[in-house]
Amino acid sequence: MRNPREFAHPLAVGAPDPLLEIPVKPSRMIHFFDPSNPKMAAKLPDVAGATDILLGNLEDAVPVDRKVAAREGLVKIGREVDLGETALWTRVNSLDSPWALDDLLRLVAEIGGRLEVIMVPKVEGPWDIHYVDRLLAQLEAKHGLSRPILVHAILETALGVTNLEEIAAASPRMQGMSFGPADLAASRRMKTTRVGGGHPGYSVVADPDDTDPDAPRPTAQQDLWHYSIGRMVDACAATDILPFYGPFGDIGDALGCEAQFRAAFLMGCVGAWSLHPRQIEIAKRVFSPDPEEVAFAKKVIDAIPDGRGVHMIDGKMQDDATWKQCKVMVSLAEMLARKDADLAEAYGL
Ligand code: GLV
Ligand code: MG
């Protein structure tokens, strides 16, 4: 147990006060880049205009012989590159790796004021968050930071999924969680070789036709990730932090990516990772609510100003609960419209 009152106090003398409300900003996509790649770094000011969050990745996909170059590349980017309003995050190496400690020491010292969120991979329980929480407080105090750096956990081991509620509630620094299907599949010993998305083998089949037992039988693919994403969304919503779907590895499969992102959006996720510029556009489309849904939600709110009672609108029953759903939709649309003039026009806001 942690004393809830202690949540309001820093974990090191001289560290900034914890944030008691997580900032909610447009977060439709976390676009990953490799900071050891100078060509990618040169494109960042342009990419920044198209994405809500840019994340310098230091962990998996960065080869061992480029780990230090990636860390130093991110320091240089954090110091020198103007990303406008776009948030800069990083994914550090896992806490049991030879690089995690230096990632944290060096990044907080050099660009701690620039990094909004540190994504911690392979979080297994609240103890991982407590470790990072205290270390960040010490580093923030040492380097005179005035704003706490937030922490985002990747849910990508069987133990992490088992402990996800405790992870979500482990610290006021917890900003959100991402669902990591590739590592999770390996940790669970699933028999897949993909990064996210569905699998045709995971399906149900209709009963045989008694009169024609050999006739083809309809099948329907099921969602391998539904259970875990559902638990993540509940844990995040219950603690007022933000859930994200993670990576979709088949870059050429725009339709599959869109379906995976949309399922996550409908279940309550606020965004997803993008691993390639073409996934930025998919995430933007999926995680910005449909103008027709927004128009309907506005109609319900206008028709029921106090949000009480039962009403029929366009033949559908509306009451206090549907009014709340409409509020969720319109608040998201309003937040996105403040950032994006095209969406403001599409939503009539
Ligand atoms: C992401 O890191 C994943 O393992 O899916
Ligand atoms: Mg992973």
Side-chain angles (χ1 to χ4, degrees):
M1 186 191 89
R2 280 182 88 167
N3 176 353
R5 276 174 237 295
E6 283 301 313
F7 267 38
H9 302 295
L11 286 179
V13 175
D17 285 343
L19 293 184
L20 296 181
E21 300 283 343
I22 291 304
V24 177
K25 305 196 252 188
S27 308
R28 294 163 293 181
M29 71 299 284
I30 307 170
H31 184 66
F32 274 51
F33 66 92
D34 174 355
S36 76
N37 180 336
K39 272 199 205 142
M40 238 183 226
K43 289 190 193 143
L44 287 179
D46 287 341
V47 183
T51 180
D52 293 337
I53 298 160
L54 272 171
L55 179 145
N57 176 35
L58 308 185
E59 200 223 10
D60 291 356
V62 175
V64 166
D65 61 359
R66 297 225 310 265
K67 290 288 185 192
V68 174
R71 187 192 295 142
E72 293 309 312
L74 185 56
V75 166
K76 190 165 154 54
I77 290 162
R79 281 202 198 124
E80 295 173 8
V81 182
D82 181 2
L83 302 174
E85 295 289 294
T86 302
L88 181 64
W89 294 17
T90 185
R91 175 170 79 166
V92 293
N93 286 286
S94 63
L95 298 177
D96 61 353
S97 75
W99 307 287
L101 181 62
D102 286 334
D103 290 346
L104 292 167
L105 296 181
R106 180 103 179 113
L107 292 177
V108 179
E110 297 299 328
I111 54 167
R114 206 51 217 286
L115 285 175
E116 283 190 22
V117 175
I118 294 183
M119 188 182 268
V120 181
K122 301 175 180 60
V123 172
E124 305 237 86
W127 51 87
D128 288 332
I129 303 301
H130 295 162
Y131 166 76
V132 174
D133 196 6
R134 179 78 72 175
L135 180 57
L136 285 178
Q138 292 170 336
L139 294 171
E140 287 163 353
K142 178 171 177 182
H143 300 294
L145 298 190
S146 54
R147 174 184 56 79
I149 298 172
L150 300 178
V151 168
H152 182 109
I154 313 183
L155 205 61
E156 51 182 350
T157 67
L159 190 56
V161 174
T162 302
N163 289 325
L164 65 85
E165 291 86 2
E166 288 177 68
I167 294 169
S171 158
R173 254 184 229 283
M174 280 296 298
Q175 177 270 351
M177 282 190 200
S178 283
F179 185 68
D183 270 301
L184 183 58
S187 166
R188 281 183 176 156
R189 302 189 190 95
M190 290 167 63
K191 308 303 178 291
T192 54
T193 53
R194 305 168 169 217
V195 179
H199 194 293
Y202 193 69
S203 62
V204 288
V205 62
D207 284 353
D209 179 346
D210 288 341
T211 61
D212 185 6
D214 296 328
R217 292 155 58 181
T219 64
Q221 194 172 313
Q222 307 291 293
D223 182 355
L224 276 171
W225 309 115
H226 180 80
Y227 155 78
S228 314
I229 293 180
R231 281 196 55 205
M232 175 181 76
V233 169
D234 277 343
C236 289
T239 50
D240 287 328
I241 68 173
L242 306 177
F244 293 73
Y245 175 76
F248 184 88
D250 188 348
I251 306 298
D253 182 6
L255 202 64
C257 179
E258 179 160 347
Q260 178 72 74
F261 285 6
R262 180 155 288 112
F265 172 67
L266 287 170
M267 283 185 74
C269 290
V270 300
W273 300 4
S274 80
L275 305 181
H276 186 280
R278 69 177 77 128
Q279 293 184 338
I280 296 179
E281 188 277 322
I282 299 173
K284 187 169 176 183
R285 182 153 29 89
V286 171
F287 290 97
S288 307
D290 180 22
E292 278 184 24
E293 292 259 31
V294 175
F296 182 73
K298 276 168 53 187
K299 192 168 170 178
V300 172
I301 292 170
D302 290 346
I304 321 176
D306 65 352
R308 304 258 173 220
V310 67
H311 305 254
M312 290 303 284
I313 297 178
D314 294 354
K316 299 187 191 94
M317 191 278 288
Q318 307 296 328
D319 66 1
D320 310 48
T322 59
W323 185 88
K324 287 180 199 156
Q325 292 178 58
C326 292
K327 277 286 199 195
V328 169
M329 186 81 76
V330 173
S331 308
L332 175 58
E334 285 170 347
M335 178 178 73
L336 297 175
R338 284 193 287 276
K339 168 166 183 167
D340 182 329
D342 291 344
L343 279 179
E345 198 185 328
Y347 296 149
L349 290 167

